[in-house]
Amino acid sequence: MINSQPIGIQIHLASGNKRMFYQDNAEQADRILKDLDGRVFTRDTVIIEGPDAIHAFPSNELIGISIITDLLPESFMEMERASETVVSQIAQDAYLFQHHQYLTKVVGKMSSTFSELEFVSGERLFFEMQGITENIPGERFALNHLFKSPSLFCRRLHGGFSIWNTRKVVSWTLYPKLESPSSAWQAESLNQDIHGKSDLINML
């Protein structure tokens, strides 16, 4: 089934800049959507041909690619079903609100994990990840392999979807926290609670 909607294509560069493109031909838009798989950032180059110029981007220097459209295409829905997880971008306020709630998880039941990702450009994004709660070994495995997958795909905050390059993530915070492996460092974040820590802060 061919996507009948026009699409906007937003390229997120490691420099922090963004480039916008547009395609209103149904067949060409469908070809682009089907080519956006989870390994797009492992290619050498992403090439976009315009009416007057060719635009080439080194894939490993892209932070992400966003597709702006009213309805989620079937190609994205297939990737989402295969992952068994629904990842949605949320606003910072929604993330901060959830971070101050007492959230619990039950193994084998649906639950939400809230994430903050910071990229090499300094851009910060916030996500809600809905999926079946893993057991302790499963959560430890997931933490140890957060950056193994070359990409993270999600529903955009204002419609459409994005694919993000995990090689360009410099920090990934998760709440409620997963079961950590024995190699994890035990320390409190000063960004979250600086009460009573003034002597240490003055030393930094």
Side-chain angles (χ1 to χ4, degrees), residues 26-134:
E27 290 187 2
Q28 292 297 328
D30 193 57
R31 180 187 173 204
I32 293 168
L33 292 173
K34 289 179 177 177
D35 195 41
L36 273 173
D37 58 29
R39 306 198 67 81
V40 63
F41 302 116
T42 65
R43 306 175 191 175
D44 289 334
T45 316
V46 170
I47 300 170
I48 299 178
E49 179 183 359
D52 304 312
I54 288 282
H55 309 270
F57 305 95
S59 301
N60 62 356
E61 287 303 317
L62 298 182
I63 286 177
I65 301 170
S66 293
I67 299 297
I68 303 166
T69 184
D70 291 332
L71 298 176
L72 290 170
E74 182 58 29
S75 56
F76 174 82
M77 300 298 287
E78 289 175 359
M79 288 192 294
E80 195 173 68
R81 284 191 291 268
S83 73
E84 298 183 339
T85 304
V86 176
V87 182
S88 303
Q89 184 183 355
I90 60 175
Q92 182 177 8
D93 288 348
Y95 169 80
L96 293 174
F97 174 80
Q98 293 296 339
H99 205 280
H100 290 91
Q101 307 304 306
Y102 178 71
L103 303 179
T104 60
K105 299 178 294 180
V106 178
V107 174
K109 301 292 185 181
M110 288 291 296
S111 65
S112 290
T113 301
F114 297 89
S115 295
E116 175 186 350
L117 275 68
E118 182 177 350
F119 293 85
V120 293
S121 64
E123 184 174 5
R124 296 160 64 209
L125 296 173
F126 305 88
F127 301 96
E128 178 180 1
M129 301 176 170
Q130 296 178 309
I132 300 295
T133 301
E134 295 275 3

Side-chain angles (χ1 to χ4, degrees), residues 173-188:
T173 302
L174 300 102
Y175 177 79
K177 67 179 183 179
L178 304 185
E179 290 289 339
S180 60
S182 59
S183 59
W185 297 354
Q186 303 295 318
E188 182 179 356

